[in-house]
Amino acid sequence: MSFEQMVAYFGAPALCGLKSANLMSVKPCQFSSDKIQELNDNLSSLGKKIVSVSRSSSNVLVFIYDESLLYQAVCGRNQMIYLMHKKYPVGRGLNALIQELLLRMSCQVSFPHEVGLFLGYPLEDVISFERDGGHSSKFSGLWQVYGDVDEARKKMMQYRQCSLTCSKCFDMGMGFYYISKNYKIICNGGNFI
């Protein structure tokens, strides 16, 4: 699978405006900073960004996000209180929060629990996972669900369908800008045209 194919699949929900962010791990031999720059140049006018952070010599993390949705995911009152307790620079804006997260992901042995908030998971699920270490969740899928299982399943299915659709579109020769801008038209209400 090429780097672009990985982005088309694993980054699709954020690229298509369904999710605040996606995170993927790639081997250094698969990683391409030139491709990230090219994608950022193509997608920045749509408010989509892609950044990388070296986690170890064995992998590079690629954080793909929708600026508007990420702001909504982390800048609500309760989310800001949570991040403030985690010693994030909450008064300095979204970019400062993102930079702090990337720094923590590059330096810490384990993932910082708050990454779930940035990925758009419900605050209740993020806090409960941190407290219980993944035990006693009601459902396990893309994340551990402690709250509304029906809503979480619905979103997970939406994200999976988006990934499949975007991969298919990319393989058919559609570019990331076109897919990102026209996802709702392409899907025609969830059914791939």
Side-chain angles (χ1 to χ4, degrees):
M1 182 179 277
S2 73
F3 180 73
E4 292 99 329
Q5 288 171 317
M6 292 176 73
V7 170
Y9 184 81
F10 294 108
L15 292 174
C16 294
L18 298 181
K19 192 170 184 283
S20 57
N22 288 93
L23 187 63
M24 65 182 212
S25 177
V26 298
K27 292 180 169 82
C29 63
Q30 296 171 303
F31 175 72
S32 172
S33 59
D34 290 341
K35 290 292 180 189
I36 285 184
Q37 184 60 50
E38 181 183 319
L39 288 169
N40 277 321
D41 291 345
N42 289 331
L43 296 170
S44 65
S45 67
L46 299 175
K48 315 298 183 189
K49 300 274 174 87
I50 302 174
V51 294
S52 64
V53 60
S54 292
R55 183 144 167 88
S56 68
S57 59
S58 63
N59 69 353
V60 176
L61 296 176
V62 179
F63 186 67
I64 303 161
Y65 65 98
D66 177 303
E67 285 181 298
S68 176
L69 293 178
L70 186 56
Y71 181 85
Q72 292 173 29
V74 300
C75 292
R77 183 180 182 277
N78 291 334
Q79 290 82 352
M80 294 295 263
I81 291 169
Y82 171 77
L83 291 174
M84 188 170 35
H85 286 290
K86 294 284 191 180
K87 308 232 183 295
Y88 273 74
V90 296
R92 295 190 15 224
L94 181 61
N95 286 333
L97 297 175
I98 293 168
Q99 292 308 312
E100 181 64 26
L101 174 69
L102 297 176
L103 176 67
R104 291 179 185 204
M105 285 194 301
S106 70
C107 296
Q108 294 180 0
V109 173
S110 62
F111 263 66
H113 291 289
E114 63 273 12
V115 71
L117 189 64
F118 287 82
L119 295 173
Y121 305 152
L123 181 60
E124 174 185 9
D125 294 344
V126 173
I127 291 171
S128 297
F129 180 82
E130 184 174 6
R131 181 190 61 233
D132 296 342
H135 303 308
S136 69
S137 64
K138 296 177 186 176
F139 179 75
S140 179
L142 294 175
W143 70 91
Q144 298 287 340
V145 179
Y146 294 83
D148 189 338
V149 173
D150 291 335
E151 183 62 25
R153 282 181 194 224
K154 181 180 165 186
K155 284 185 179 182
M156 289 179 201
M157 286 176 43
Q158 223 179 10
Y159 300 156
R160 179 164 162 56
Q161 184 59 46
C162 179
S163 293
L164 294 171
T165 299
C166 287
S167 291
K168 189 172 183 178
C169 288
F170 182 78
D171 289 344
M172 291 171 50
M174 293 180 202
F176 284 105
Y177 180 88
Y178 181 85
I179 295 168
S180 183
K181 185 173 182 179
N182 297 295
Y183 176 71
K184 289 180 181 164
I185 296 168
I186 292 167
C187 286
N188 190 22
N191 299 314
F192 183 72
I193 295 175

